[in-house]
Amino acid sequence: MNQLDALKQFTTVVADTGDFKQLAQFKPQDATTNPSLILKAVGMADYRHLLQEVVDRHRGEPLDAIMDRLLVRFGCEILSVVPGRVSTEVDARLSFDADATFTRAQHIIDLYQGEGIHVDRVLIKVAATWEGIQAAARLEKKGIHTNLTLLFAFCQAVACGQAKVQLISPFVGRIYDWYKKSAGAAWDEAANAGANDPGVLSVRRIYEHYKKFGIRTEIMGASFRNVGQIQALAGCDLLTISPELLATLAGSQADLPRVLEPAAARQLDLAPVHYDEAGFRFALNEDAMATEKLAEGIRAFCADAVKLEKLLLAA
């Protein structure tokens, strides 16, 4: 049995790509996209026609509406390949507007339903700002499930659990990147690998808190830089993995044991944690890594959304 098949025994494997033609070979349960992945995909010859088709069919509609139709078109293509769910992102420029995020998410779901896709097969991706989390809480109450992304801090995870969101995506690799860059020449790769990787430690803390206190929100580790990070989180609810790392796992016959166990987490002596808005904002402010990476991530997604819009206008 290869490592990918071994991982699938206790973790739901999700493909982190907009390249749906790559999906079939790895047989993931779910797939996740974001503006950066879609931008990369429409730059490929195989997918350029999808952008043109969407523009031709909906020319004259508002630009944001055409953008959502493009994202949904990719989502529908992905859902024809994966048996589970696809994550589709709300415009990151709305990350600090709960009402606008809520409205835009409802529109995306309406588009999916117009294509015959059941609401349970879509996760609406929202940045894990305070406003994003509140919008997600409202969406969940309406039966629209959410994936809270750009999650770097424990306080973000706690607030998402309080909001009863469906799923969170803590970004392992980007946490690792920050600590490695911050340490500079003093960084010891071997000492910070595997179970000691700062991104892995962050997800493990969230996992233990959720399982200890019976929080049903799913945890999906994301943004991996190497297979060691994936191996150290075997047993996490879900892991979203790039096609390159999926191929590495599929090519290895080495053992891949389960690391994270709900029963073990339930035995831990942990104190309950709760955040109101002021407490959340202060805790996030105290975490330099999370503050910087959240802002950087939102800026990057916004920049790629603008690039996508330019492509739509030029088509």
Side-chain angles (χ1 to χ4, degrees):
M1 181 186 296
N2 65 46
Q3 288 195 327
L4 180 57
D5 288 337
L7 182 64
K8 288 178 180 178
Q9 291 182 305
F10 33 73
T11 289
T12 297
V13 172
V14 181
D16 194 9
T17 181
D19 185 355
F20 52 83
K21 293 186 179 180
Q22 274 192 310
L23 293 174
Q25 62 182 304
F26 301 116
K27 297 182 171 60
Q29 176 66 21
D30 295 350
T32 183
T33 66
N34 61 47
S36 304
L37 291 172
I38 298 299
L39 181 66
K40 182 180 177 182
V42 297
M44 302 177 190
D46 283 347
Y47 304 113
R48 205 166 293 131
H49 71 282
L50 293 179
L51 182 144
Q52 192 63 55
E53 287 174 15
V54 168
V55 171
D56 289 345
R57 188 171 302 167
H58 302 287
R59 200 178 297 279
E61 292 183 14
L63 190 57
D64 58 353
I66 299 176
M67 172 79 86
D68 286 347
R69 289 187 182 278
L70 178 65
L71 299 179
V72 169
R73 177 63 190 275
F74 267 86
C76 289
E77 295 285 351
I78 287 169
L79 288 174
S80 71
V81 180
V82 302
R85 305 169 296 188
V86 69
S87 291
T88 296
E89 194 137 355
V90 170
D91 193 327
R93 290 168 289 188
L94 305 179
S95 295
F96 301 100
D97 188 332
D99 289 340
T101 295
F102 177 78
T103 300
R104 192 74 171 265
Q106 286 187 300
H107 179 248
I108 290 170
I109 289 297
D110 288 344
L111 292 178
Y112 270 112
Q113 291 184 316
E115 296 295 327
I117 303 296
H118 193 278
V119 66
D120 289 344
R121 296 198 69 197
V122 181
L123 292 174
I124 295 294
K125 273 178 94 172
V126 180
T129 57
W130 179 259
E131 294 82 2
I133 295 167
Q134 304 320 301
R138 290 170 60 191
L139 290 165
E140 293 286 353
K141 288 176 182 175
K142 286 186 65 79
I144 296 172
H145 298 308
T146 55
N147 170 356
L148 274 288
T149 187
L150 294 176
L151 195 144
F152 304 98
F154 183 67
C155 65
Q156 290 174 290
V158 172
C160 286
Q162 291 169 193
K164 296 182 170 60
V165 309
Q166 182 69 31
L167 182 146
I168 60 169
S169 296
F171 276 38
V172 177
R174 296 194 196 186
I175 294 173
Y176 162 88
D177 292 344
W178 189 91
Y179 281 101
K180 183 174 181 177
K181 181 179 179 181
S182 180
W187 178 259
D188 185 335
E189 186 67 36
N192 291 286
N196 295 321
D197 183 296
V200 170
L201 289 169
S202 177
V203 175
R204 185 176 193 118
R205 183 185 182 193
I206 294 165
Y207 181 91
E208 290 172 348
H209 174 78
Y210 275 19
K211 302 312 176 189
K212 170 69 176 180
F213 296 105
I215 296 166
R216 296 181 65 182
T217 297
E218 301 170 56
I219 305 162
M220 181 171 73
S223 149
F224 294 104
R225 299 294 179 258
N226 55 67
V227 291
Q229 293 170 336
I230 297 166
Q231 293 160 347
L233 291 173
C236 192
D237 300 332
L238 307 94
L239 297 175
T240 181
I241 306 170
S242 68
E244 294 76 18
L245 290 177
L246 287 172
T248 301
L249 290 167
S252 173
Q253 298 296 318
D255 287 343
L256 195 152
R258 181 167 191 160
V259 179
L260 300 183
E261 293 273 5
R266 287 192 286 270
Q267 300 305 312
L268 296 172
D269 182 18
L270 302 177
V273 184
H274 184 276
Y275 288 103
D276 59 11
E277 181 178 354
F280 172 90
R281 293 193 185 281
F282 184 78
L284 187 60
N285 186 72
E286 288 292 281
D287 189 330
M289 175 277 297
T291 301
E292 291 176 24
K293 298 307 287 186
L294 173 60
E296 176 186 272
I298 291 171
R299 284 195 300 269
F301 283 162
C302 289
D304 284 340
V306 170
K307 290 175 185 175
L308 260 181
E309 286 182 343
K310 287 179 179 177
L311 291 176
L312 291 170
L313 287 170

